[in-house]
Amino acid sequence: MSTTAAHAATRVDNPFVGAGVYVNPEWSAKAAAEPGGSAVSNQPTAVWMDRIAAINGVNGGMGLRAHLNAAVQQAAGKPYVFQVVIYDLPGRDCAALASNGELGPTDLPRYKSEFIDPIAAILADPAYANLRIVTTVEIDSLPNLVTNAGGTATATANCDVMKANGNYINGVGYALAKLGAIPNVYNYVDAGHHGWLGWDSNLQPAIDTIKQAATASGSTVNNVQGFIVNTANYSALHETNFTVGDSVNGTSVRQSKWVDWNQYVDEASYAKAWRTKAIASGFNSNIGMLIDTSRNGWGGANRPTGPGPKTSVDAYVDGGRIDRRFQTGNWCNQSGAGLGERPKAAPEDGIAAYVWVKPPGESDGASQAIANDEGKGFDRMCDPTYTGNPRNNNNMSGALPNAPLAGAWFSAQFQELLKNAYPALGTGGTTDTTAPTAPTGLAATATSSSVALTWTASTDNVGVTGYDVYRGGTLIGSTNSTSFSDTGLTASTAYSYTVKAKDAAGNVSAASAALSVTTSAGGTTDTTAPTAPTNLAATTTSSSASLTWGASTDNVGVTGYNVYRGGTLIGSTTSTSYTDSGLSASTAYSYTVKAKDAAGNLSAAAAVTATTQAGTGTGSAGCTATYKVSSDWGAGFNADVTVTAGNTAIKSWKVTWTYAGNQQVTNLWNGTVSQSGQSVTVNNAGYNGAVAANGTTSFGFGASYSGSNAVPTLTCTATS
């Protein structure tokens, strides 16, 4: 069966809505052959292109075209999704060994011509134009450049190489551009998981790194349909028994050993936060998030049914957490894991779909060294006797024994996942159909503009996953906790509320008893101003000043920041950065920034003076440099500097700056460095001194420090 490009599927924001999804017949047959496997053997899973040979099929197995032909047959003319993993970057899996690839660190030309180009040619065949082809692009690659390169405590030599040579960035950019040019391809870039990137020092730098790749090698952000989290991982979808805002005896949950100061405790909250921050960073507003739920069920007899004891914050978290790993850094063939939510389109706000990208039953890696011709190494994190490393805080690996190579069928793992599935597998594969009990004890406190609701938790035969809150019969929000705040209300007005509980199978309880609440009269609104922004700093070019600052705090909540130049308001932002452009060269400007809250209270001002760099007049040689901290772990940081030539090509460049603190450069790539006290000078390397007119090059470095880490003002000089 075939179609033509003239009949190609109309492009949509969410390809999963209203569409069937391809069931891989090879995986389905393996699953069905397992005892009890027929309960899930009809679930859709992704097809993995993890080496060049996979394109045409390995050891008699189906190649990409054969899978696509089968998908066309399954679709039978109806909207249909085909999921494929693109996973063969040069120097792949630089921080681990189990999924090392066939291409060496410098094999970018082979990646393009032997891997991406043939895949793109097949996907562009008019015979497949009616399919919605969803790609998962290069698992783990780009986040490794943030956490495992450039002087971090978890850096590896292999990741340092890949950060320095740029082949991850340029390879992903090339893949996005090539595949994104096909009208019915939807690219989703891998975004790690909350237990890897959920800290402030990792999340935004990871988004920035992915954006760098999305705009490299001829690509644009328009080639990114969205992001996928938890790919081939085990992080719980929802932690229902505690939230990141909870505290025990005055100690925040974030201080527990398990959470370890993370901002997120589960994948759903992390995915939604990632989406918000990615849009704020320049990705399209219609991007969607996918969550791989193939192995994050953590069900069975060991699933907690309520919060842990409040004897200590660790007891509270460890007693109630759904995720039963030793540590969130553990990733290989985890003991006790279960099948997670079945694939589902648009399951919750901001989430395009739950998907099974990692086919359950396929090994993450061998538990001991096995000779092979697939380029796959032995990683001790797959050894159940291994006591860990800095990437998992030196915990036991939690891996199952006797595992085969990554990607090979692992019957013991599949049986483990069936046994611990959540939602549980019913007789003949039916899932949970019992709704939770209705919430009770609905109560409220009100101000003139808000109502804070609390209620007693519902119970369920499997487990409650959240609550929907209704005002006057209209759904106004959802929460995983037993509290909710409704804001933006009118003073002296009566409102009626009900709450319904829901479980992972989609069953919804009866509504709670309705509660009528009247907001108080006006005049008692918030009058407390936020704290002033901290560490206001500026970097300049000849025509712009880029400001950054530390976030303010407020008794209710900071809603944004006003930016003033010379006392005149020039803009507002909800982030902690702002760029003022159209300035004059060699001119000093004074800036202040004030935080604001919803009640209109303004903080005291933070102030800084910034002097723009000298201009490079038309036809003259010159350069500018911008400085960006890509990751910061408190005792050290990584930074990237971009050098931009003026209107005339340059032959060499030099960048200088003076730190305000005690920062010491410890290693630098793509340049040569000297430092005397607080003064730093970087000259170009032999291969990147020549830059075309208005072109760019870059260098990066790692540094140590204590105290503050203000961004310095850079000076760039060049010879033509």
Side-chain angles (χ1 to χ4, degrees), residues 27 40 43-46 48 85 87 98-99 139-140 190 192-194 228-239 258 267 291-300 303 322-325 327-343 354-366 381-382 397-400 403-423 425:
W27 175 82
V40 293
Q43 295 294 336
T45 55
W48 285 57
V85 177
Y87 186 43
S99 295
I139 299 164
D140 293 348
D190 184 74
H193 58 92
H194 88 275
I228 180 168
V229 300
N230 205 44
T231 313
N233 212 271
Y234 298 86
S235 295
L237 181 63
H238 297 116
E239 286 288 1
W258 172 257
E267 283 307 290
I291 304 178
D292 187 352
T293 59
S294 58
R295 304 182 303 174
N296 70 343
W298 294 104
R303 190 179 183 90
I322 303 301
D323 189 336
R324 305 311 295 174
R325 287 178 290 180
Q327 206 266 346
T328 55
N330 289 357
W331 53 266
C332 193
N333 299 324
Q334 290 298 285
S335 175
L339 298 170
E341 284 276 2
R342 314 306 178 253
Y354 300 150
V355 292
W356 282 11
V357 166
K358 177 69 173 182
E362 291 190 2
S363 175
D364 295 322
M381 287 298 292
C382 298
S397 71
L400 291 168
L405 286 174
W409 188 257
F410 188 13
S411 178
Q413 184 214 65
F414 188 79
Q415 289 300 318
E416 185 95 345
L417 296 173
L418 286 180
K419 179 180 67 175
N420 296 312
Y422 181 85
L425 302 177

Side-chain angles (χ1 to χ4, degrees), residues 223-582:
N223 291 318
V224 178
Q225 180 71 20
F227 303 92
I228 180 168
V229 300
N230 205 44
T231 313
N233 212 271
Y234 298 86
S235 295
L237 181 63
H238 297 116
E239 286 288 1
T240 57
N241 297 322
F242 64 92
T243 73
V244 74
D246 290 350
S247 62
V248 176
N249 302 322
T251 301
S252 167
V253 155
R254 292 187 65 201
Q255 293 177 253
S256 68
K257 182 178 180 181
W258 172 257
V259 178
D260 191 25
W261 294 103
N262 203 319
Q263 291 281 22
Y264 310 97
V265 298
D266 55 32
E267 283 307 290
S269 61
Y270 169 73
K272 293 174 184 180
W274 178 286
R275 181 178 184 273
T276 298
K277 291 177 182 292
I279 292 171
S281 299
F283 285 95
N284 294 334
S285 61
N286 64 343
I287 58 171
M289 301 298 297
L290 305 178
I291 304 178
D292 187 352
T293 59
S294 58
R295 304 182 303 174
N296 70 343
W298 294 104
N302 294 325
R303 190 179 183 90
T305 57
K310 289 196 170 183
T311 53
S312 71
V313 72
D314 284 325
Y316 176 69
V317 171
D318 289 339
R321 60 183 168 93
I322 303 301
D323 189 336
R324 305 311 295 174
R325 287 178 290 180
F326 290 115
Q327 206 266 346
T328 55
N330 289 357
W331 53 266
C332 193
N333 299 324
Q334 290 298 285
S335 175
L339 298 170
E341 284 276 2
R342 314 306 178 253
K344 184 186 304 182
E348 51 186 301
D349 184 45
I351 307 301
Y354 300 150
V355 292
W356 282 11
V357 166
K358 177 69 173 182
E362 291 190 2
S363 175
D364 295 322
S367 52
Q368 58 185 354
I370 299 176
N372 67 92
D373 60 359
E374 301 175 30
K376 295 173 182 175
F378 168 51
D379 194 298
R380 288 295 305 279
M381 287 298 292
C382 298
D383 175 0
T385 68
Y386 185 46
T387 56
N389 56 46
R391 283 190 288 280
N392 80 331
N393 285 342
N394 296 296
N395 281 275
M396 294 295 291
S397 71
L400 291 168
N402 304 314
L405 286 174
W409 188 257
F410 188 13
S411 178
Q413 184 214 65
F414 188 79
Q415 289 300 318
E416 185 95 345
L417 296 173
L418 286 180
K419 179 180 67 175
N420 296 312
Y422 181 85
L425 302 177
T427 303
T430 59
T431 55
D432 174 26
T433 60
T434 302
T437 61
T440 58
L442 184 60
T445 57
T447 68
S448 61
S449 61
S450 66
V451 170
L453 300 169
T454 60
W455 56 89
T456 301
S458 298
T459 59
D460 185 66
N461 64 316
V462 178
V464 175
T465 59
Y467 299 88
D468 290 335
V469 181
Y470 297 81
R471 186 203 314 132
T474 299
L475 178 65
I476 59 170
S478 299
T479 177
N480 297 331
S481 68
T482 55
S483 62
F484 183 85
S485 291
D486 186 19
T487 58
L489 304 179
T490 303
S492 302
T493 303
Y495 296 92
S496 178
Y497 294 93
T498 54
V499 179
K500 296 179 182 180
K502 54 189 177 181
D503 63 19
N507 302 304
V508 179
S509 76
S512 68
L515 176 68
S516 180
V517 185
T518 301
T519 52
S520 60
T524 58
T525 55
D526 174 26
T527 59
T528 302
T531 62
T534 58
N535 300 323
L536 179 60
T539 59
T540 64
T541 68
S542 61
S543 62
S544 68
S546 295
L547 306 174
T548 59
W549 57 88
S552 299
T553 60
D554 186 65
N555 64 317
V556 177
V558 175
T559 59
Y561 300 87
N562 288 343
V563 181
Y564 304 81
R565 185 199 320 127
T568 300
L569 178 65
I570 59 172
S572 296
T573 178
T574 57
S575 69
T576 55
S577 62
Y578 183 87
T579 298
D580 184 22
S581 56

